[in-house]
């Protein structure tokens, strides 16, 4: 069965480009991203891992550890990593899991047989400090993911974990947010001293509380 939002994600140990890791220990008490790609030495995957490496400072700023996974072996990962660094002008220093026995791919339901019997699809999981699944997305092999969108979602997840707010469509860091329906307007006015704009009784905005 596929993982559902709010479920505790499974732990595992795996061989990676930075050595053997225990997933939970690697994440520590921070946030995590586990993302799969179909295969090494493929063009879209090369750009995805390169972009992730170039955004490392953004992930670090948000206390997010990143791990990539594919079913290719470790020696192949190591050779390909050099190509990624060379062609994408980056340094990939997050671990790439060598999941030859498909242990991680199976645990996280990353192989979708009607897409490919053997290769992982482009799955991405965002995991909270409580080890619960906060977001999952699945892209086909032909479409590279947008890692700025992944950062945007992390900003929303971290903000909404802290305050009684939700983020509207296309929200970006610094823009107004929505007061969640569970908070009465009377309480919202007390909770959000920057002000509450009432468009409808169920649609109330407030400036982002933590900026
Ligand atoms: C790619 O990463 O470029 C790719 C991988 C598998 C199928 C199609 C494209």
């Amino acid at each position: 069965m596929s993982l559902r939002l709010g479920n505790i994600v499974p732990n595992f140990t795996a061989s990676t480009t930075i050595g053997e890791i225990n997933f939970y220990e690697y994440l520590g008490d921070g946030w995590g991203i586990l993302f799969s790609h179909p295969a090494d030495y493929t063009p879209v995957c090369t750009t995805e891992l390169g972009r992730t490496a170039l955004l490392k400072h953004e992930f670090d700023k948000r206390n997010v550890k990143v791990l990539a996974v594919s079913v290719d072996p470790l020696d192949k990962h190591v050779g390909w990593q050099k190509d990624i660094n060379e062609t994408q002008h980056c340094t990939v220093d997050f671990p790439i899991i060598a999941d030859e026995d498909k242990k991680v791919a199976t645990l996280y339901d990353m192989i979708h047989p009607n897409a490919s019997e053997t290769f992982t699809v482009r799955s991405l999981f965002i995991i909270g400090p409580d080890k619960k699944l906060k977001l999952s997305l699945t892209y086909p092999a032909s479409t590279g993911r947008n890692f700025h969108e992944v950062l945007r979602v992390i900003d929303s997840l971290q903000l909404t974990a802290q305050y009684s707010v939700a983020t509207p469509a296309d929200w970006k860091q610094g823009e107004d947010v929505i007061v969640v329906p569970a908070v009465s307007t009377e309480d919202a006015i007390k909770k959000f001293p920057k002000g509450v704009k009432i468009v409808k009784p169920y649609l109330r905005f407030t400036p982002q509380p933590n900026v």
Side-chain angles (χ1 to χ4, degrees):
M1 183 160 99
S2 62
L3 277 172
R4 300 231 163 131
L5 299 189
N7 286 6
I8 300 274
V9 300
N11 194 20
F12 56 82
T13 52
S15 165
T16 83
T17 47
I18 63 160
E20 190 81 6
I21 63 155
N22 174 296
F23 186 47
Y24 277 14
E25 282 172 17
Y26 177 74
L27 294 183
D29 55 10
W31 292 70
I33 290 183
L34 177 69
F35 71 118
S36 58
H37 55 272
D40 294 359
Y41 293 104
T42 51
V44 177
C45 303
T46 299
T47 62
E48 284 197 321
L49 269 68
R51 179 54 48 86
T52 306
L54 290 168
L55 290 171
K56 183 183 183 327
H57 59 290
E58 295 292 345
F59 289 109
D60 286 349
K61 218 161 72 183
R62 292 163 176 82
N63 194 22
V64 180
K65 295 246 180 78
V66 172
L67 289 98
V69 56
S70 87
V71 297
D72 281 325
L74 198 54
D75 58 340
K76 214 168 162 186
H77 283 352
V78 171
W80 180 46
Q81 197 174 350
K82 290 190 188 119
D83 275 12
I84 301 170
N85 291 345
E86 177 197 325
T87 61
Q88 308 303 302
H89 313 290
C90 66
T91 304
V92 173
D93 59 4
F94 53 83
I96 310 174
I97 296 169
D99 193 31
E100 277 187 280
D101 60 3
K102 302 187 171 79
K103 181 172 81 179
V104 178
T106 305
L107 267 178
Y108 281 78
D109 194 27
M110 291 165 163
I111 294 178
H112 298 193
N114 289 330
S116 165
E117 285 285 350
T118 43
F119 297 121
T120 44
V121 290
R122 294 187 200 284
S123 299
L124 185 146
F125 300 97
I126 300 181
I127 297 141
D130 55 5
K131 307 289 179 291
K132 288 185 179 166
L133 181 65
K134 306 297 178 186
L135 172 135
S136 69
L137 56 83
T138 308
Y139 276 36
S142 52
T143 306
R145 288 157 286 196
N146 182 329
F147 289 87
H148 291 285
E149 167 63 5
V150 173
L151 287 167
R152 191 191 73 87
V153 173
I154 290 166
D155 285 342
S156 172
L157 290 169
Q158 294 186 341
L159 176 72
T160 59
Q162 227 189 323
Y163 297 92
S164 307
V165 298
T167 58
D170 298 337
W171 172 85
K172 290 192 291 302
Q173 190 72 270
E175 294 178 356
D176 287 357
V177 297
I178 288 172
V179 178
V180 294
V183 176
S184 70
T185 297
E186 192 187 350
D187 286 347
I189 290 163
K190 288 184 214 143
K191 263 181 192 274
F192 302 112
K194 291 181 184 172
V196 178
K197 187 171 129 197
I198 303 159
V199 180
K200 291 278 181 190
Y202 60 87
L203 181 61
R204 299 158 304 166
F205 291 89
T206 188
Q208 185 175 331
N210 63 346
V211 292

